[in-house]
């Protein structure tokens, strides 16, 4: 039979059989019971027409080989062929297969990068997950090594953790080769990153190139020698010269190979020096090359051999440089400020000043490429030029010697600032914006690093840091976005007290604004401690700027986040700490400013009345007062015209209404947040608010039985770009909505993704993760796979909180499973507390489900108060289509009214809850049981 007849779950079982796992091991890996594994194995034996498990394992291996995707090979393609080094390639290739971390060490220009690329290309087939290449030459900040690796590997940031941790988690079980090129300039950042990487990723191999060893555990150093010239005219060095000379003109006559060998020996076999000399072959010939280079090398002779090799490259560079026309020398040194490939237009902006005009720049780039001092690569956006790192460093030295460094760097800064400004403009939005940012990003970082330390450039550095904060946020580089906003704030703070000159107009007030942005990014990252710190820092900056009202607003925001996002703190602020912040905010906010009044009102609703149900909050609260305070916050935020503040106030109102038992009011407030935020641009604050609003809208829609709407909001939440790397958070509400509807296949497939993402995230806890895991456990329970359910309940214990699981969603999901399997007595025990006894845990989403299930369990268990419980539940759930249908079914069961039960089945279908519709048919008696069983089978709810 074709493998197309094999289900997804059977394919997973077959793959693990190919790994020769036992049924128990497969059961543990897939979170299904051993009995279920046995049934899948039996089905596979039949479908694949094989005799035993051994044959299945062989078949699995065959299928894996046939379907295995090609390993990732993210290596740049050299423009010229690799020459020689047979011995070194073999030794290095063997080393990267057998050793954790190999560092290819040698002086600049010896050919480390080309050797590493050649070895990586040859070894790619030995690494199941492929090869990644990271050029660290443009990276100036040691703290950005992990970010550079993440970009090469394709790892995004995850809320709640840094980019380094995300990289380690993504590569933890990967069998791949990571090539890190040009490590020497940021060795202080590479070394600690490598130590963590190699410990966390045991199957990963690293090949680094550097002028000095990394000095880390696992390191094995491979000294890269110069090209051999021992075989005279047949040596590797001569072969390289002949090939490169032929590429730029007529090939040299073989008769002069021995004389070329002597020339290569003078160049110490250094690959870069040989290539530079070969580029001059058509114009100078052998005699001209020999004469010119002989003079240079004589001048620079002497010293240890290693120094000679460095000097031979410098000699070749000096010689090549001196042969250039004066305008081309100026161009070479001026374009050395570019960290990334650049266009002729970009070079013109930076380099076209006396003695160069725009035409000279364009012509000169071509001539420098002809002399191997630049590489030219065609692209869709036009030809891009780039200098090797060694040549770029040489050009920077020449720039300083010519006293042009400040001027050219300033022009480069101006270009980067203009580019950043253009990218942040509204009209810059589009599908090509990420690519445009990526093409400019390293140059912006380099320009900012240079400008940030120069007082005369501080204003431009501030503006560039601020723009980079916006751009990196839009690119989903949240850690860097927060860093850039904080950097902008620091630069603004340094400008306090200046009333004129280049730093004018940048001060503490600007710093406060940047810190607010940083706090919003921290919110998107789920870093409560940083949110609080940054709001308080913003208040201090505003106070220094004389903006006491703004300082009060910032302190109100600090108090609010301490309660509103209390579950996202490493150290939860105490009630006394937050109350003190609130008191200071109240004192500073006096004066009638609408925005400050709105912020203060929200903080009071959060702290004094615990509208958000904070970790620090009491188990009880005064619902009436909470609603009043939240209503006032909504009114004031609307009056202030701030939709983000209005959404936050509506969140408080939604929470307050749940305390008051008004689930429909809570859901309406949550839906209103979506509408309020719809027209707001995607700033960090608006994005953070929108993510929270979607989650709350999905949750409250579930609470009132609107499963289609809950699924819609859940889908939108899952599609948020900031959730790209955290599938467990992204799909939590979608899983819960699908579980209530009974869509087993969707839940089981999503559960696998949820579990993988949750494990990669470091097994975080969250108010939505526990219910999501419990919903997967419930589906396994409905299917009768109690072993898998037990596995998932263990996940619930780690992902959620004990009280919520015991008294809230756990009671609801457990009762659903118990009723499904005909044990209403146990279900009634699970739902024994009166709703007001477990109010804090059921009031938000689970109240309607709790009271409806409790009433139905009372009927099925023959509880004497069943009829009264149905009546009481109706008063609570009126308007909830699913809970109302459940009470109608319970009433029909109590009264023996089959017609009413069938009407309830139709109501369940209309409400988007096919599981309960199918179960109603089963409960309606033998005449309808067959249809009910068929409906459950279609949902995937029969058998494990």
């Amino acid at each position: 039979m074709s493998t197309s007849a094999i289900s997804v779950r059977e394919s997973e079982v077959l793959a693990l059989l190919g790994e020769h796992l036992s049924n128990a091991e497969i059961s543990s890996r897939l979170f299904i019971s051993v009995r279920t594994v046995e049934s899948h194995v039996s089905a596979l034996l039949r479908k694949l027409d094989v005799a035993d498990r051994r044959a299945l394992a062989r078949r699995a291996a065959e299928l894996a080989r046939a379907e295995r995707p090609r390993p990732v090979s993210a290596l740049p393609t050299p423009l010229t062929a690799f020459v020689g080094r047979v011995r070194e390639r073999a030794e290095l290739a063997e080393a990267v297969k057998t050793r954790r971390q190999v560092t290819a060490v040698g002086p600049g220009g010896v050919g480390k990068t080309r050797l590493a690329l050649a070895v990586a290309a040859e070894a790619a087939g030995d690494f199941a997950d492929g090869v990644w290449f990271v050029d660290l030459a443009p990276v100036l900040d040691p703290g950005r090594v992990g970010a550079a690796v993440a970009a090469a590997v394709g790892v995004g940031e995850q809320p709640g953790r840094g980019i380094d941790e995300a990289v380690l988690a993504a590569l933890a079980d990967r069998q791949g080769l990571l090539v890190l090129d040009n490590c020497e300039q940021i060795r202080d950042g590479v070394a600690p990153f490598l130590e963590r990487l190699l410990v966390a990723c045991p199957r990963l191999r690293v090949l680094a190139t550097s002028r000095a060893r990394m000095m880390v555990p696992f390191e094995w150093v491979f000294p890269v020698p110069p090209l051999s010239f021992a075989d005279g005219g047949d040596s590797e060095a001569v072969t390289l010269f002949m090939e490169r000379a032929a590429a730029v003109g007529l090939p040299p006559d073989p008769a002069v190979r021995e004389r070329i060998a002597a020339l290569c020996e003078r160049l110490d076999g250094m690959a870069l020096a040989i290539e530079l000399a070969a580029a001059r072959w058509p114009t100078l010939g052998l005699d001209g090359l020999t004469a010119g280079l002989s003079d240079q090398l004589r001048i620079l002779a002497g010293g240890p051999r290693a120094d000679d090799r460095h000097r031979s490259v410098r000699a070749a560079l000096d010689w090549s440089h001196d042969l250039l026309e004066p305008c081309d020398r100026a161009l070479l040194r001026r374009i050395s400020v570019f960290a990334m490939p650049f266009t002729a237009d970009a070079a013109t902006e930076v380099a076209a000043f006396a003695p160069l005009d725009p035409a000279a720049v364009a012509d000169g780039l071509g001539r420098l490429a002809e002399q191997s001092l630049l590489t030219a690569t065609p692209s869709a956006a036009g030809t891009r030029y780039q200098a090797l790192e060694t040549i770029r460093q040489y050009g920077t030295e020449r720039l300083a010697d010519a006293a042009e460094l400040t001027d050219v760097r300033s022009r480069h800064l101006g270009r980067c600032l203009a580019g950043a400004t253009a990218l942040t403009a509204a009209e810059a939005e589009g599908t090509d914006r990420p690519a445009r940012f990526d093409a400019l990003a390293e140059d912006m970082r380099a320009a900012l690093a240079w400008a940030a330390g120069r007082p005369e450039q501080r204003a431009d550095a501030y503006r560039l840091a601020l723009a980079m904060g916006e751009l990196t946020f839009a690119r989903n580089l949240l850690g860097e976005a927060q860093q850039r906003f904080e950097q902008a704030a620091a630069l603004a703070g340094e400008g306090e007290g200046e009333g004129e000159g280049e730093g004018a107009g940048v001060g503490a007030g600007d710093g406060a604004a940047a810190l607010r942005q940083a706090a919003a990014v921290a919110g998107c990252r789920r870093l409560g401690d940083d949110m609080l710190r940054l709001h308080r820092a913003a208040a201090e900056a505003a106070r220094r700027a004389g903006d006491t009202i703004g300082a009060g607003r910032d302190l109100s925001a600090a108090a609010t986040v301490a309660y509103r996002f209390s579950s996202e703190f490493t150290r939860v602020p105490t009630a006394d700490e937050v109350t003190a912040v609130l008191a200071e905010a109240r004192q500073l906010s006096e004066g009638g400013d609408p925005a400050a009044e709105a912020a203060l009102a929200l903080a009071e609703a959060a702290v004094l009345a615990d509208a958000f149900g904070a970790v620090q909050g009491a188990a009880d609260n005064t619902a009436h007062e909470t609603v009043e305070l939240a209503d006032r916050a909504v009114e004031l935020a609307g009056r202030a015209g701030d939709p983000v503040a209005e959404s936050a106030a509506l969140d408080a109102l939604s929470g307050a209404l749940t305390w008051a038992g008004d689930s429909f009011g809570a859901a309406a407030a949550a839906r209103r947040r979506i509408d309020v935020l719809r027209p707001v641009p995607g700033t960090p604050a608006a994005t953070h608010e929108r993510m929270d609003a979607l989650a709350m809208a999905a949750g409250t829609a579930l609470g009132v039985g609107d499963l289609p709407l809950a699924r819609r909001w859940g889908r939108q939440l899952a599609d948020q770009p900031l959730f790209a790397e955290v599938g467990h958070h992204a799909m939590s509400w979608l899983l819960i909505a699908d579980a209530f509807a009974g869509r087993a296949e969707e839940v089981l497939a999503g559960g696998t993704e949820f579990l993988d993402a949750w494990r990669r995230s470091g097994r975080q806890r969250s108010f939505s993760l526990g219910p999501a895991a419990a919903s997967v456990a419930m589906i396994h329970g409905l299917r009768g796979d109690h072993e898998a359910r037990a596995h998932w309940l263990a996940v619930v214990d780690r992902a959620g909180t004990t009280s919520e699981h015991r008294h809230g969603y756990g009671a609801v999901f457990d009762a659903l499973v118990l009723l499904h399997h005909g044990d209403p007595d146990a279900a009634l025990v699970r739902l024994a507390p009166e709703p007001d006894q477990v109010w804090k845990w059921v009031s938000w989403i689970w109240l309607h489900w709790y009271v409806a299930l409790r009433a139905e369990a009372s009927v099925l268990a023959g509880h004497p108060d069943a009829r009264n419980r149905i009546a009481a539940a109706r008063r609570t759930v009126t308007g909830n289509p699913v809970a109302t249908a459940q009470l109608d079914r319970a009433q029909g069961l109590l009264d023996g009214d089959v017609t009413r039960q069938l009407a309830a089945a139709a109501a369940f279908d209309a409400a988007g809850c096919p599981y309960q519709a199918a179960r109603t048919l089963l409960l309606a008696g033998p005449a309808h049981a067959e249809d009910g069983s068929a409906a459950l089978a279609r949902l995937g709810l029969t058998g494990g």
Side-chain angles (χ1 to χ4, degrees):
M1 178 177 287
S2 168
T3 57
S4 62
I6 297 174
S7 69
V8 173
R9 180 63 81 188
E10 287 168 347
S11 296
E12 293 172 340
V13 171
L14 181 61
L16 295 177
L17 286 170
E19 296 180 23
H20 305 287
L21 299 187
S22 67
N23 285 356
E25 290 170 323
I26 294 173
S27 164
S28 176
R29 185 80 66 88
L30 296 181
F31 284 84
I32 57 178
S33 67
V34 173
R35 176 172 59 81
T36 301
V37 176
E38 292 169 351
S39 68
H40 287 319
V41 171
S42 298
L44 287 167
L45 291 169
R46 183 181 70 258
K47 291 181 178 182
L48 296 177
D49 192 25
V50 295
D52 53 26
R53 288 175 67 96
R54 184 175 299 177
L56 276 179
R58 286 197 298 270
R59 187 62 182 276
E62 292 168 4
L63 290 173
R65 283 194 296 271
E67 298 175 2
R68 179 180 296 166
R70 293 175 63 85
V72 174
S73 183
L75 296 173
T77 303
L79 299 178
T80 54
F82 187 79
V83 175
R85 295 197 184 276
V86 175
R87 179 187 62 81
E88 292 96 323
R89 287 164 74 176
E91 289 181 11
L92 198 53
E94 182 61 27
V96 298
K97 295 176 193 175
T98 58
R99 299 181 184 276
R100 298 297 312 281
Q101 196 253 308
V102 178
T103 304
V105 173
V110 76
K112 302 183 294 297
T113 298
R114 291 299 302 272
L115 176 61
L117 283 171
V119 169
E122 290 176 3
D126 297 316
F127 296 93
D129 294 308
V131 179
W132 303 277
F133 179 84
V134 185
D135 183 7
L136 295 174
V139 181
L140 302 178
D141 181 355
R144 288 197 50 77
V145 172
V149 174
V153 175
V155 174
E157 293 201 39
Q158 299 179 3
R161 68 191 326 190
I163 191 65
D164 286 13
E165 286 72 21
V167 171
L168 300 186
L171 298 180
D173 59 352
R174 305 288 283 277
Q175 184 194 8
L177 174 64
L178 180 65
V179 182
L180 300 178
D181 193 32
N182 291 304
C183 295
E184 61 275 350
Q185 64 181 19
I186 48 169
R187 193 167 52 159
D188 290 347
V190 176
F193 177 80
L194 277 179
E195 287 194 47
R196 297 177 61 199
L197 181 74
L198 293 170
V199 169
C201 309
R203 303 176 69 202
L204 192 70
R205 300 289 185 268
V206 175
L207 171 58
T209 73
S210 176
R211 297 185 185 185
R213 62 180 301 175
M214 296 291 100
M215 304 295 290
V216 295
F218 305 113
E219 183 180 33
W220 186 76
V221 177
F222 182 86
V224 178
L227 287 166
S228 170
F229 44 80
D231 294 331
D234 295 325
S235 67
E236 293 177 340
V238 172
T239 301
L240 176 65
F241 185 99
M242 298 289 282
E243 289 204 9
R244 298 298 188 261
V248 294
L250 292 175
D253 189 326
V256 301
R257 292 182 72 105
E258 293 300 328
R259 293 179 63 193
I260 291 174
L263 181 67
C264 292
E265 183 174 2
R266 288 180 176 176
L267 294 173
D268 281 319
M270 299 295 283
L272 175 58
I274 291 170
E275 295 204 22
L276 291 172
R280 288 288 184 174
W281 171 265
T283 55
L284 295 180
L286 184 59
D287 291 341
L289 289 174
T290 301
L293 285 170
S294 294
D295 289 343
Q296 286 286 335
L297 291 176
R298 268 199 307 273
I299 293 170
L300 295 171
R305 189 63 176 168
D307 286 346
D308 284 350
R309 287 172 183 162
H310 278 290
R311 289 176 176 182
S312 63
V313 172
R314 176 171 288 281
L317 286 169
D318 284 338
W319 168 78
S320 292
H321 175 269
D322 291 345
L323 288 174
L324 296 173
E325 294 296 325
C327 60
D328 288 348
R329 294 180 197 171
L331 180 59
L332 179 64
R333 64 179 179 260
R334 291 173 185 178
I335 54 89
S336 69
V337 297
F338 286 101
M340 296 289 286
F342 56 90
T343 63
D345 287 342
T348 299
E349 287 185 50
V350 170
F353 62 96
L356 298 178
D357 58 25
V361 171
D363 291 343
L365 291 173
R367 287 191 294 274
L368 292 177
E370 290 171 3
Q371 306 307 322
S372 295
L373 292 165
L374 289 180
T375 59
T377 307
S379 74
T383 301
R384 289 188 173 272
Y385 300 89
Q386 186 173 27
L388 291 175
E389 180 63 14
T390 300
I391 295 175
R392 198 166 74 86
Q393 292 173 2
Y394 177 85
T396 302
E397 292 178 8
R398 287 288 183 168
L399 197 60
D401 293 342
E404 292 182 345
L405 183 61
T406 298
D407 195 4
V408 175
R409 283 284 187 193
S410 297
R411 287 171 173 268
H412 180 252
L413 171 64
R415 179 182 184 276
C416 290
L417 185 56
T421 302
L423 283 171
T424 55
E427 57 269 20
E429 296 287 350
T431 56
D432 67 334
R433 187 186 186 192
R436 290 168 60 200
F437 168 78
D438 291 345
L440 190 58
E442 289 299 346
D443 277 294
M444 288 193 292
R445 291 175 182 126
L448 180 56
W450 175 78
R454 287 162 175 77
E456 71 279 6
Q457 301 286 357
R458 187 178 53 251
D460 281 345
Y462 161 79
R463 284 187 279 272
L464 182 55
L466 198 64
M468 284 194 69
E470 296 178 31
L471 292 169
T472 50
F473 180 80
R475 198 66 178 93
N476 213 11
L477 302 173
L478 303 190
E480 185 176 3
Q482 183 179 330
Q483 174 194 353
R484 296 306 175 195
F485 283 127
E486 292 196 52
Q487 184 179 23
L491 288 164
E494 291 170 5
E496 287 184 72
E498 296 193 7
E500 56 184 50
E502 293 187 43
V506 180
D510 300 291
L515 288 165
R516 291 170 196 134
Q517 294 270 62
V521 178
C524 293
R525 301 177 69 200
R526 295 178 176 269
L527 301 178
D529 305 79
D530 276 6
M531 274 192 283
L532 181 61
R533 171 181 64 82
L534 291 164
H535 278 302
R536 298 186 74 169
E540 183 57 33
R543 199 191 322 248
R544 289 199 308 271
D547 181 10
T548 55
I549 295 294
R553 189 169 65 247
D554 290 321
L555 288 176
S556 292
T560 297
V561 300
Y563 267 59
R564 186 182 180 195
F565 302 109
S566 59
S567 63
E568 298 175 7
F569 279 77
T570 303
R571 186 193 72 82
V572 179
T574 66
D576 288 344
E577 289 177 69
V578 182
T579 301
V581 173
L582 178 60
E584 188 178 0
R586 186 180 291 116
Q587 183 179 10
L588 292 172
S589 299
E590 296 175 355
D593 179 77
E597 288 182 351
L600 182 61
L602 179 59
E604 290 174 338
V607 178
L608 302 182
D610 192 22
F612 299 107
V615 173
Q616 309 97 312
D620 301 312
N621 91 359
T622 54
H624 180 69
E625 180 189 358
T626 306
V627 172
E628 281 187 352
L629 288 171
D631 259 330
R632 181 169 179 270
V634 172
E635 178 190 352
L636 289 171
R639 191 184 305 168
D642 184 344
V644 173
E646 186 175 357
S647 172
L650 284 166
D651 190 29
L653 179 60
S654 183
L657 290 169
T658 63
W659 288 118
D662 184 358
S663 299
F664 293 100
R671 288 196 304 274
R672 188 173 153 196
R673 293 178 67 191
I674 305 293
D675 294 333
V676 165
L677 292 168
R678 187 168 286 115
V680 181
T683 63
T687 300
H688 182 215
E689 196 64 36
R690 186 172 286 114
M691 289 164 58
D692 184 75
L694 286 169
M696 296 305 103
T700 53
L702 282 168
V704 296
D706 194 338
L707 296 184
L709 191 58
R711 196 172 200 282
R712 174 184 164 191
W713 299 137
R715 180 73 269 164
Q716 288 190 27
L717 183 67
D719 291 340
Q720 290 294 300
L722 292 187
F723 276 166
E725 301 293 329
V726 283
H728 52 307
H729 282 295
M731 65 193 325
S732 290
W733 294 111
L734 201 54
L735 281 174
I736 299 167
D738 281 342
F740 275 129
R743 298 185 179 93
E745 289 299 324
E746 288 91 334
V747 173
L748 295 180
T752 300
E753 183 180 340
F754 174 96
L755 196 61
D756 289 344
W758 178 68
R759 286 170 171 165
R760 289 197 306 270
S761 76
R763 293 177 167 81
Q764 298 170 324
R765 289 186 187 272
S766 170
F767 71 92
S768 63
L769 296 182
S775 71
V776 183
M778 182 190 79
I779 290 295
H780 282 298
L782 298 180
R783 287 165 52 85
D785 194 339
H786 298 296
E787 287 186 47
R789 180 168 180 257
H791 281 299
W792 273 94
L793 289 176
V795 174
V796 174
D797 288 341
R798 294 284 303 277
T801 60
T802 302
S803 295
E804 285 181 300
H805 183 226
R806 179 73 188 93
H807 303 298
Y809 63 81
V812 169
F813 288 133
D814 289 350
L816 281 165
V817 173
L818 292 167
L819 289 175
H820 180 87
H821 291 293
D823 194 351
D825 292 314
L828 199 55
V829 170
R830 192 71 179 86
L831 300 165
E834 294 287 343
D836 60 358
Q837 294 178 287
V838 289
W839 193 258
K840 181 163 185 173
W841 299 284
V842 302
S843 61
W844 176 42
I845 290 176
W846 318 110
L847 177 62
H848 289 192
W849 298 93
Y850 188 93
V851 298
L853 283 164
R854 191 167 184 266
E856 182 176 77
S858 299
V859 170
L860 293 172
H863 192 280
D865 201 29
R867 196 171 298 276
N868 289 335
R869 289 183 175 182
I870 292 175
R874 282 195 189 280
R875 291 191 293 272
T876 299
V877 307
T878 300
N880 181 322
V882 177
T884 297
Q886 190 167 11
L887 293 174
D888 286 344
R889 181 176 67 195
Q891 190 74 54
L893 289 167
L894 185 62
D895 297 338
D897 186 345
V898 175
T899 301
R900 188 166 194 169
Q901 293 175 53
L902 295 178
F908 280 126
D909 265 331
C913 191
Y915 162 65
Q916 291 292 358
R919 183 165 174 271
T920 305
L921 295 176
L922 290 176
L923 291 171
H928 307 283
E930 185 175 345
D931 289 341
S933 296
L936 288 176
R938 287 193 296 272
L939 290 169
L941 290 172
T942 53

